[in-house]
Amino acid sequence: MPSTSSNVSPSWFKSSHSGGNATECVEASHFSKGTAIRDSKTTEGGTLLFQPHSWTSFVSALQDGRLR
């Protein structure tokens, strides 16, 4: 998990596209140095950390339909 400048636990939230009991759920947590992503079904598993610019580009590509 990414480290933060304090000992505060990250605040994870589910993707708005993760529906009810869907099998594919993603959680994210914003940090000063980026955004962490993890599988909500396996929270103790690994996380991916995106730098702010990379995260913004990724979200924009999803919203614009450039990724399928």
Side-chain angles (χ1 to χ4, degrees):
M1 179 178 333
S3 62
T4 60
S5 58
S6 67
N7 290 330
V8 177
S9 295
S11 177
W12 293 96
F13 60 93
K14 278 193 178 182
S15 166
S16 60
H17 294 280
S18 294
N21 293 327
T23 58
E24 299 173 355
C25 298
V26 174
E27 291 180 324
S29 182
H30 296 296
F31 292 85
S32 61
K33 294 184 179 184
T35 299
I37 305 298
R38 69 180 182 184
D39 183 337
S40 64
K41 298 177 306 308
T42 312
T43 59
E44 59 281 339
T47 60
L48 298 174
L49 181 60
F50 291 85
Q51 293 179 346
H53 175 74
S54 297
W55 178 249
T56 301
S57 295
F58 174 68
V59 171
S60 293
L62 286 173
Q63 292 172 334
D64 295 345
R66 291 180 276 145
L67 300 176
R68 296 177 192 244

